[in-house]
Amino acid sequence: MELIKIVILALIVNNVVLAQFLGICPFLGVSNKVGTSVGMGAAVIFVMTLANLVTYLIQNFILVPLHIEFMQTITFIFIIAFLVQVVEIILKKSAPSLYQALGIYLPLITTNCAVLGIAILAVQKNYNLISSVVYAASIAAGFTLALILMAGIREQLELNGYPKGMKGFPLSLITAGLLSLAFMGFAGLVK
């Protein structure tokens, strides 16, 4: 039951983009087309889950026993950057078509503050390994959901038209704000 609660909270109620405001740059920058949003979302799900797994192990089996928890942030940054590079190399060698589809999104994940933020939040919440991985995968799925919703709305707005003064960032920010308000309606769903 606890894992279901973590999934619902991470996916909908405390959505990483719409409630916690982490990962706004890729959210606004990549959400022009649904296809690119799906690619970015898949890459984020994979990297965020893997990064959270590795950072949990490093935190609990290296940093805490050596009493160097103060190195957490810089260590996590290096781990995330390393994992993104390893995933990029593996995909390039083993699955060139997947690498071509995700290649542009993988370097963007290195600078996505949501990946680092969720790794730190999972440690702060004292989750065990299973809960931490479920939390990261759910947060990443919530990021993907918000990204795809935003892309769908933006594509629909392009088809329907809008005032010229609203083109670009103004319309994106208003749309993101309305999406955030819509997700706030789920706030009482789980406590």
Side-chain angles (χ1 to χ4, degrees):
M1 189 64 182
E2 187 65 28
L3 291 179
I4 293 171
K5 182 178 174 183
I6 289 172
V7 169
I8 292 171
L9 282 170
L11 187 67
I12 300 171
V13 177
N14 295 326
N15 187 286
V16 70
V17 177
L18 302 173
Q20 297 178 21
F21 306 112
L22 292 172
I24 294 292
C25 260
F27 175 70
L28 293 175
V30 180
S31 63
N32 292 327
K33 303 281 181 216
V34 172
T36 57
S37 296
V38 170
M40 179 66 168
V44 167
I45 289 171
F46 181 74
V47 170
M48 191 179 288
T49 305
L50 183 63
N52 206 303
L53 172 68
V54 174
T55 56
Y56 176 89
L57 295 173
I58 297 288
Q59 174 75 18
N60 289 302
F61 294 110
I62 296 176
L63 298 180
V64 171
L66 295 175
H67 304 292
I68 54 172
E69 295 93 345
F70 63 90
M71 296 289 292
Q72 178 188 63
T73 302
I74 193 72
T75 304
F76 286 8
I77 289 170
F78 283 130
I79 289 168
I80 291 165
F82 174 76
L83 285 174
V84 169
Q85 291 302 312
V86 167
V87 167
E88 191 171 0
I89 290 168
I90 291 171
L91 284 178
K92 194 174 191 177
K93 297 277 185 193
S94 63
S97 60
L98 184 59
Y99 173 75
Q100 290 297 327
L102 298 179
I104 192 169
Y105 305 116
L106 287 173
L108 289 174
I109 295 171
T110 306
T111 59
N112 188 346
C113 63
V115 179
L116 175 63
I118 297 312
I120 292 172
L121 282 173
V123 169
Q124 289 176 349
K125 292 177 183 273
N126 291 322
Y127 285 145
N128 62 25
L129 181 61
I130 302 293
S131 296
S132 180
V133 170
V134 167
Y135 176 68
S138 301
I139 285 285
F143 177 84
T144 304
L145 174 68
L147 201 63
I148 291 170
L149 284 172
M150 181 72 163
I153 292 169
R154 287 175 81 174
E155 282 185 357
Q156 190 65 37
L157 286 170
E158 286 294 324
L159 291 174
N160 291 337
Y162 48 85
K164 287 183 182 182
M166 297 297 287
K167 185 174 184 171
F169 251 4
L171 189 61
S172 297
L173 292 174
I174 290 171
T175 305
L178 291 173
L179 268 175
S180 182
L181 285 171
F183 271 66
M184 280 179 61
F186 295 111
L189 189 63
V190 178
K191 288 287 177 187

